[in-house]
Every structure is written in C-alpha cells, then in structure tokens.
C-alpha cells in the first residue's frame, strides 16, 4: 500500500514534467525551426498551423486533466445514501463491504473516497475514475495521444533536418536509437539531439498507450460496463449502446470534443431519475 501511495504522488508529477518538456520543445525548438524566413512567412504557413494545432491539443489535454482531478468522487460520495448510520469510516475499517450501499459503488483506499460507477484508480491523475469524470478522462487520453503523435511528427522532422537523414524507410526509426547511442558516446552527437531522440520514443510509447486505453474504454462504455465490473464479474443490465454513450458523454457531446467542460447535464439527468 505504501508503494501505491508513493506512485500516486510520483506519477502525476512525472506526467506534468513530460508535458512541460514537450511544450518547451515544441514552442522553442520544433516550431521555430520550421520558419525558414520569418519576414516572408504567409499567414497560414505550415509552421503557424502546426503551432495552432499543438496549442489546441495541449489545451484540451491539460484542461480535461484538470477537470478529472477537480471532479472528485469525494464530492459525489457526500451525496450517496450509504445506509442508515453508515459513515465513510465504516468503509475504511472494512465493517461494510465496498459496493454494498448502492450498485456499482466502490470505496478506494488510496483516495479514501466513494465512487459511483467506479472504473479504476488512475495514478497519473491521483484520482478515481467514475461516473462524474469518465468523459473528461476519455478526452484526456484522446488528446494526450494526439498531442504525442503531433510531437512525434514534429520531432522526426526536426531530427531529419538537423542530422540530414530521411525517415522514408521504416527501419530508420527502429534503428535510430541504438545508432544514436553509439554516436553519442563517440562524441559525434550532441546531448540536445540525443535528448530529442529519446523523447521521440517516449512520445510514441505514451501515444500508443493512451490511444489503446481510450479505445478499450470506449468498448466498455458501449457495452455499459466498467473495468471494475468486468474484473469482479458483475452482471450489468443490457441497454442500447446509444443510451450507454449518452450516459457518459451527455446530449451535448460535441461541445466536450472541442473544449474541456464538465458533463453537468448527464449528472443532473441521473440524479433526477433517482
């Protein structure tokens, strides 16, 4: 448990550090290298369009990240009917089994909070993912994967221009890291260039992981399930996939795709049905 609590503190700091490094490299290294002659750059140049796209992806990823943390299950847990005489302390000492008060509720010992429709505990946000912040969490994974892909493409273009190499052959990227390590220790490669190359593989790994996690989460939502229910073997009531999507994303789902906003409408509808 101590290791998990330590990971719950280190993982968010690690993510914020990677985000800061990515932002600095994009704004101060990659995008300026795209401007050959700033005085003759047109208004809608590829460099400016790339910069606008990166800022849009970064703003959505960071905005949804903050909303996942702010949409704490603790606030929702105060409104749950845990039963007569039941307190959160009862859940802590194990006198009440998690999930016994309401269906699909779970008490997380890391957060010390009750989560309705608990899915999992996310160490990179230091928070549990449930009914209140599921949509923001999916949008966070989606825009993080897109931002990493954008940074990967920009970084490859920067390395290609700096080292005068081509990535037309897919094997070039696969052999780039071992070849760069040998050049770095022989003194033929600068430390800044080696750092960018290492970041390329880090962006690839994070982007693929977030994209895969987002796709898996969407499949569960379409079936009306959560990861916690699948892990515990809970049987869920079969509903049309449109209702399952609307429960998570709300009717105004397009707004959540463009800007990071809370899914207030969906929460209000569920409380009204109760």
């Amino acid at each position: 448990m101590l290791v998990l609590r330590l990971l719950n503190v280190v993982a968010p700091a690690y993510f914020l550090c990677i985000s800061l490094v990515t932002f600095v490299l994009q704004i101060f290294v990659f995008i300026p290298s795209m401007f050959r002659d700033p005085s003759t750059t047109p208004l809608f140049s590829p460099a400016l369009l790339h910069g606008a796209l990166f800022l849009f992806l970064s703003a959505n990823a960071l905005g949804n990240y903050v909303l996942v943390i702010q949409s704490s299950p603790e606030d929702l847990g105060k409104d749950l009917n845990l039963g007569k005489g039941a307190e959160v302390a009862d859940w802590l000492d194990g006198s009440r089994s998690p999930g016994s008060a309401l269906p699909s509720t779970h008490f997380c010992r890391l957060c010390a909070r009750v989560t309705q429709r608990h899915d999992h505990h996310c160490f990179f946000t230091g928070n549990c993912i449930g009914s209140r912040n599921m949509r923001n969490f999916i949008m966070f994974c989606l825009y993080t994967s897109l931002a990493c892909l954008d940074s990967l493409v920009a970084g490859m273009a920067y390395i290609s221009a700096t080292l005068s190499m081509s990535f037309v052959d897919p094997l070039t990227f696969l052999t780039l890291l071992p070849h760069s390590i040998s050049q770095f220790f022989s003194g033929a490669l600068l430390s800044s260039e080696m750092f960018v190359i290492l970041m390329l593989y880090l962006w690839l790994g994070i982007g693929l992981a977030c994209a895969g996690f987002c796709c898996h989460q969407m499949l569960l939502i379409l079936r009306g399930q959560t990861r916690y229910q699948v892990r515990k073997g809970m049987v869920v009531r079969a509903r049309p996939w449109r209702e399952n999507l609307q429960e998570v994303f709300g009717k105004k789902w397009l707004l959540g795709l463009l800007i990071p906003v809370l899914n207030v409408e969906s929460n209000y509808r569920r409380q009204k049905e109760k």
Side-chain angles (χ1 to χ4, degrees), residues 101-118:
L102 286 175
S104 302
T105 58
H106 175 69
F107 175 78
C108 179
R109 295 183 179 275
L110 291 175
C111 297
R113 298 164 179 168
V114 180
T115 311
Q116 188 178 12
R117 287 193 60 82
H118 175 82

Side-chain angles (χ1 to χ4, degrees), residues 77-93 95-102 105 107 114:
K78 295 177 181 179
D79 299 330
L80 291 177
N81 183 16
L82 300 179
K84 186 176 180 179
E87 300 291 343
V88 175
D90 297 334
W91 296 58
L92 277 169
D93 59 20
S95 60
R96 289 181 179 270
S97 60
S100 61
L102 286 175
T105 58
F107 175 78
V114 180

Side-chain angles (χ1 to χ4, degrees), residues 105-162:
T105 58
H106 175 69
F107 175 78
C108 179
R109 295 183 179 275
L110 291 175
C111 297
R113 298 164 179 168
V114 180
T115 311
Q116 188 178 12
R117 287 193 60 82
H118 175 82
D119 188 85
H120 70 284
H121 180 88
C122 178
F123 289 98
F124 285 99
T125 60
N127 203 0
C128 278
I129 308 301
S131 60
R132 190 172 182 183
N133 54 10
M134 174 60 74
R135 186 184 73 171
N136 295 115
F137 176 76
I138 294 177
M139 291 296 100
F140 160 68
C141 292
L142 174 63
Y143 280 105
T144 299
S145 63
L146 293 178
C148 288
L149 176 61
D150 179 84
S151 301
L152 176 63
V153 173
M156 291 176 62
Y158 173 79
I159 291 297
S160 178
T162 304

Side-chain angles (χ1 to χ4, degrees), residues 225-242:
Q225 292 180 308
T226 63
R227 294 181 62 188
Y228 178 76
Q229 292 173 339
V230 173
R231 188 170 66 251
K232 295 297 182 179
M234 298 180 180
V235 180
V236 297
R237 180 170 59 90
R239 295 187 307 175
W241 61 272
R242 294 181 182 272

Side-chain angles (χ1 to χ4, degrees), residues 153-172:
V153 173
M156 291 176 62
Y158 173 79
I159 291 297
S160 178
T162 304
L163 302 181
S164 299
M165 60 186 306
S166 175
F167 288 96
V168 176
D169 187 3
L171 294 178
T172 303

Side-chain angles (χ1 to χ4, degrees), residues 252-270:
K252 300 179 180 179
W253 56 271
L254 184 59
L255 182 64
L257 290 178
L258 300 177
I259 57 176
V261 292
L262 286 173
N263 197 8
V264 179
E265 178 186 1
S266 180
N267 290 329
Y268 173 76
R269 183 175 61 84
R270 287 196 297 268

